[in-house]
Amino acid sequence: MLTDISKSLKDIQEYLYKITGIYLDTSKQTMIKNRLETLKKFPVFEGITTTGELIALASRNAQARQLFINAFTTNQTDFFREKAHFQDMLDRVLPSLFKNQFNIRIYCAASSTGEEPYSIAATVLHASEIYNSSCNVEILASDIDTSVLQEAEEGLFTLSPTLNLPNWVNMDKYFDTLQKCADGTRKIRAKDELKRMIKFFPLNLFDNNYPFRKDEFDVIFCRNVLIYFKVHDQNTILHRLFRHLKMNGTLYIGHAEDVLGLKEKLERLGNKTYIKIKE
Ligand SMILES: C[S@@+](CC[C@H](N)C(=O)[O-])C[C@H]1O[C@@H](n2cnc3c(N)ncnc32)[C@H](O)[C@@H]1O
């Protein structure tokens, strides 16, 4: 598709950074070329032969821009990834919230194909059962990539038999098995009870404002997405999210991530789990 690719990778890097905050350094050249290749199949890119034309098209055409963004996101995720966070929700966060309020709101930023918010929902249902709670829990889940959001909303997954789940998780309670495959994997679908709890919507964390109220959330999951941004931008995004976390609310970040300039305002519990203690 693109004839001038080698000399124009920098333009692609800069454009991607400008619209998403995703920063790919120069070592990612092969990856950039491969991701651009995947755009060939979409009719909207027909006739595009230079990166200049590609960027001009994406700048004026929302569909092309979204496909360009979708091509450059890395969506790796899994059910109950970084298990300690779900254990902490079950043992500490939810019992206390159930005692003190009726409406509980949880935000999952960068939810990818949905395994993370469905794991949150399954944890809430399990906790509601063992603590006998009828609280109303809403989970908001967003991502910049519209193709993963569509998958997440469908709630269809392939479950590997080697997945290491917490021992209290019974996937059959929350997912229907549609097919058992010869290799041991299972095609599963989230039950309505789980789906009803989650609202998916697109959101670019690099945007200046988020469509939430101040102090809207009791819990925020922002895991394994900060790593794609420059440190300065990670700090800005964390501060933006922090505004929407309630006092005493919990923030979970990924194992390779840091709370940077928020250290003084958060109490650190270990396992990348933080509590808001100051405005
Ligand atoms: C590696 S996945 C992490 C998924 C999940 N949070 C987890 O920990 O398993 C990173 C996700 O961040 C999303 N992402 C990247 N840049 C983003 C941005 N500017 N705004 C919102 N989401 C973004 C990607 O689309 C991708 O789905």
Side-chain angles (χ1 to χ4, degrees):
M1 171 167 95
L2 302 169
T3 50
D4 64 338
I5 181 76
S6 295
K7 63 177 186 328
S8 309
L9 284 176
K10 202 164 180 318
D11 297 341
I12 295 286
Q13 275 173 321
E14 281 174 9
Y15 181 63
L16 180 69
Y17 173 70
K18 189 174 116 188
I19 60 172
T20 67
I22 297 174
Y23 180 66
L24 300 174
D25 65 34
T26 43
S27 67
K28 300 275 164 46
Q29 297 215 348
T30 313
M31 178 221 185
I32 297 178
K33 282 185 198 168
N34 291 341
R35 303 276 177 116
L36 285 172
E37 273 295 303
T38 66
L39 295 178
K40 270 202 298 210
K41 61 176 181 279
F42 299 109
V44 69
F45 295 106
E46 220 173 82
I48 297 293
T49 56
T50 68
T51 50
E53 284 169 12
L54 175 71
I55 293 168
L57 173 69
S59 304
R60 66 173 186 272
N61 179 316
Q63 186 208 3
R65 183 163 59 252
Q66 189 61 58
L67 290 169
F68 175 84
I69 292 171
N70 294 358
F72 277 97
T73 57
T74 300
N75 308 116
Q76 199 205 327
T77 187
D78 226 329
F79 287 110
F80 294 92
R81 182 181 191 184
E82 300 178 28
K83 280 192 286 189
H85 295 157
F86 302 95
Q87 196 65 48
D88 181 58
M89 286 239 303
L90 184 66
D91 297 340
R92 183 186 61 85
V93 176
L94 292 169
S96 155
L97 289 173
F98 288 163
K99 260 188 226 147
N100 296 313
Q101 60 194 72
F102 178 70
N103 289 310
I104 298 168
R105 284 173 87 72
I106 301 174
Y107 177 45
C108 177
S111 57
S112 189
T113 36
E115 285 85 338
E116 186 177 41
Y118 283 110
S119 302
I120 299 170
T123 305
V124 169
L125 287 183
H126 181 65
S128 303
E129 199 178 313
I130 62 177
Y131 300 113
N132 198 16
S133 161
S134 52
C135 286
N136 172 41
V137 183
E138 262 193 272
I139 301 163
L140 303 194
S142 66
D143 202 285
I144 195 174
D145 180 336
T146 50
S147 69
V148 291
L149 282 172
Q150 204 179 330
E151 283 184 51
E153 217 146 9
E154 281 164 13
L156 294 169
F157 302 97
T158 301
L159 190 64
S160 155
T162 58
L163 188 65
N164 183 11
L165 297 168
N167 55 16
W168 45 267
V169 175
N170 174 4
M171 292 294 270
D172 291 334
K173 248 174 131 169
Y174 310 113
F175 296 86
D176 291 316
T177 296
L178 304 179
Q179 193 190 341
K180 288 186 177 164
C181 309
D183 61 1
T185 60
R186 281 196 288 150
K187 305 275 179 216
I188 58 169
R189 182 176 52 212
K191 294 189 181 180
D192 284 347
E193 192 186 9
L194 213 57
K195 281 183 156 181
R196 267 197 301 271
M197 297 170 67
I198 313 171
K199 186 172 171 245
F200 290 100
F201 59 99
L203 189 140
N204 181 356
L205 291 169
F206 204 49
D207 283 350
N208 285 331
N209 292 298
Y210 302 157
F212 312 127
R213 293 186 309 276
K214 186 175 171 342
D215 303 335
E216 177 159 345
F217 299 108
D218 299 288
V219 181
I220 295 182
F221 282 73
C222 180
R223 311 189 312 159
N224 306 303
V225 60
L226 293 171
I227 42 171
Y228 298 102
F229 302 115
K230 295 180 187 180
V231 173
H232 162 85
D233 297 323
Q234 294 180 13
N235 198 37
T236 308
I237 288 166
L238 279 166
H239 278 81
R240 272 186 214 132
L241 285 172
F242 185 76
R243 194 181 124 72
H244 304 291
L245 182 65
K246 271 189 200 158
M247 190 57 80
N248 298 318
T250 297
L251 169 70
Y252 299 115
I253 60 171
H255 71 281
E257 296 167 335
D258 196 274
V259 291
L260 302 167
L262 287 178
K263 279 195 181 68
E264 296 299 305
K265 299 181 175 191
L266 293 165
E267 180 188 342
R268 184 170 147 243
L269 295 190
N271 287 323
K272 301 287 169 170
T273 302
Y274 299 84
I275 302 177
K276 181 169 180 172
I277 52 168
K278 270 189 211 160
E279 269 311 331

